[in-house]
Amino acid sequence: GLVGQLNSNLRQNNHALRLSSYTALSASFENSWLTLNANGVGTIIHEQVDDINQTAQNQIQNISPFVGFNIKPLSNVGLRLRGFYKESFQAPSFNELYYHAATCPFATEHALQRNIGLTFVTGQDSGWAKYIEITADYYYNRVNNRILTIPTYDFNLWKMFTFDVVDIYGIDISANATIQIGHFEFLIGGKYSYQDATDFSDPASAT
């Protein structure tokens, strides 16, 4: 478990105490062509905030699952299909809650992540192409209660916003190669990434 404490000379929210407890459970399976992984993390957060007027208490209980797979369909070809499904969350920090122009509510940021990809690896002891690796991934993330910090007219004073729903789509492609020419060996690599993030929050909300 973790213990976080905040003490300040502010008139409001001048003392905060956060107790966090984490429990994890995992399992895996592997054979010649398939690897499976699964785990879950249970989190309990209890927070108490004192100011000159009252004492407020907040509590969060959350389970974050993960499931992933890695498949090698052909035994003699270095091709693998992989993917995962993951849920995660993040509680707002003391700084985000109590030290900005517009404090955000005590709401956790939840993320749902899905990814599918391919990896191809080949190499040979003789010839000019000693090693070649190509990867391609497509992912989709949905974030609820996205916490964002934006500067105001004064860069010493920042403002907090929460976006109800943000959808993120993206593609990552990379290639790496080791090439030998004569007595010289060259390492060549490149990567391309594309990402699109869109706010799908309720038009009637603050964002």
Side-chain angles (χ1 to χ4, degrees), residues 21-115:
S21 173
Y22 304 93
T23 303
L25 179 66
S26 64
S28 63
F29 170 81
E30 183 175 357
N31 61 18
S32 60
W33 63 275
L34 174 65
T35 301
L36 295 174
N37 293 286
N39 63 64
V41 178
T43 305
I44 299 176
I45 297 177
H46 177 81
E47 183 165 313
Q48 178 173 305
V49 183
D50 300 322
D51 60 26
I52 58 175
N53 298 318
Q54 62 181 353
T55 297
Q57 296 189 11
N58 301 291
Q59 183 162 302
I60 297 172
Q61 297 182 6
N62 187 84
I63 297 178
S64 301
F66 169 87
V67 178
F69 68 89
N70 193 315
I71 300 174
K72 186 177 182 180
L74 302 172
S75 60
N76 58 343
V77 178
L79 177 66
R80 288 188 175 273
L81 172 66
R82 49 191 166 70
F84 69 82
Y85 172 90
K86 180 181 180 181
E87 294 181 18
S88 60
F89 89 106
Q90 175 180 320
S93 66
F94 287 154
N95 191 52
E96 292 167 337
L97 284 169
Y98 310 124
Y99 278 99
H100 291 289
T103 57
C104 65
F106 193 86
T108 58
E109 178 181 302
H110 287 263
L112 183 153
Q113 300 170 267
R114 282 175 276 192
N115 184 98

Side-chain angles (χ1 to χ4, degrees), residues 4-207:
Q5 186 169 347
L6 166 71
N7 292 289
S8 73
N9 58 1
L10 297 176
R11 287 181 54 82
Q12 293 183 330
N13 303 325
N14 50 37
H15 178 75
L17 177 66
R18 179 179 293 183
L19 305 176
S20 304
S21 173
Y22 304 93
T23 303
L25 179 66
S26 64
S28 63
F29 170 81
E30 183 175 357
N31 61 18
S32 60
W33 63 275
L34 174 65
T35 301
L36 295 174
N37 293 286
N39 63 64
V41 178
T43 305
I44 299 176
I45 297 177
H46 177 81
E47 183 165 313
Q48 178 173 305
V49 183
D50 300 322
D51 60 26
I52 58 175
N53 298 318
Q54 62 181 353
T55 297
Q57 296 189 11
N58 301 291
Q59 183 162 302
I60 297 172
Q61 297 182 6
N62 187 84
I63 297 178
S64 301
F66 169 87
V67 178
F69 68 89
N70 193 315
I71 300 174
K72 186 177 182 180
L74 302 172
S75 60
N76 58 343
V77 178
L79 177 66
R80 288 188 175 273
L81 172 66
R82 49 191 166 70
F84 69 82
Y85 172 90
K86 180 181 180 181
E87 294 181 18
S88 60
F89 89 106
Q90 175 180 320
S93 66
F94 287 154
N95 191 52
E96 292 167 337
L97 284 169
Y98 310 124
Y99 278 99
H100 291 289
T103 57
C104 65
F106 193 86
T108 58
E109 178 181 302
H110 287 263
L112 183 153
Q113 300 170 267
R114 282 175 276 192
N115 184 98
I116 187 135
L118 288 170
T119 300
F120 176 74
V121 177
T122 186
Q124 53 186 3
D125 295 332
S126 59
W128 59 274
K130 308 290 288 185
Y131 176 82
I132 297 175
E133 179 186 58
I134 300 173
T135 66
D137 288 89
Y138 172 79
Y139 61 87
Y140 161 66
N141 301 335
R142 166 159 284 198
V143 184
N144 294 292
N145 296 323
R146 176 73 173 95
I147 301 172
L148 187 65
T149 309
I150 299 176
T152 63
Y153 59 90
D154 184 351
F155 279 97
N156 294 316
L157 188 64
W158 290 60
K159 206 168 189 179
M160 299 302 304
F161 292 94
T162 56
F163 293 86
D164 291 340
V165 179
V166 178
D167 279 352
I168 304 169
Y169 298 86
I171 297 173
D172 290 327
I173 300 173
S174 67
N176 297 282
T178 301
I179 298 174
Q180 185 168 0
I181 301 177
H183 297 289
F184 298 96
E185 193 170 82
F186 300 91
L187 303 178
I188 301 174
K191 184 175 182 179
Y192 170 80
S193 295
Y194 170 81
Q195 184 180 96
D196 177 78
T198 305
D199 176 20
F200 285 100
S201 302
D202 184 352
S205 69
T207 56

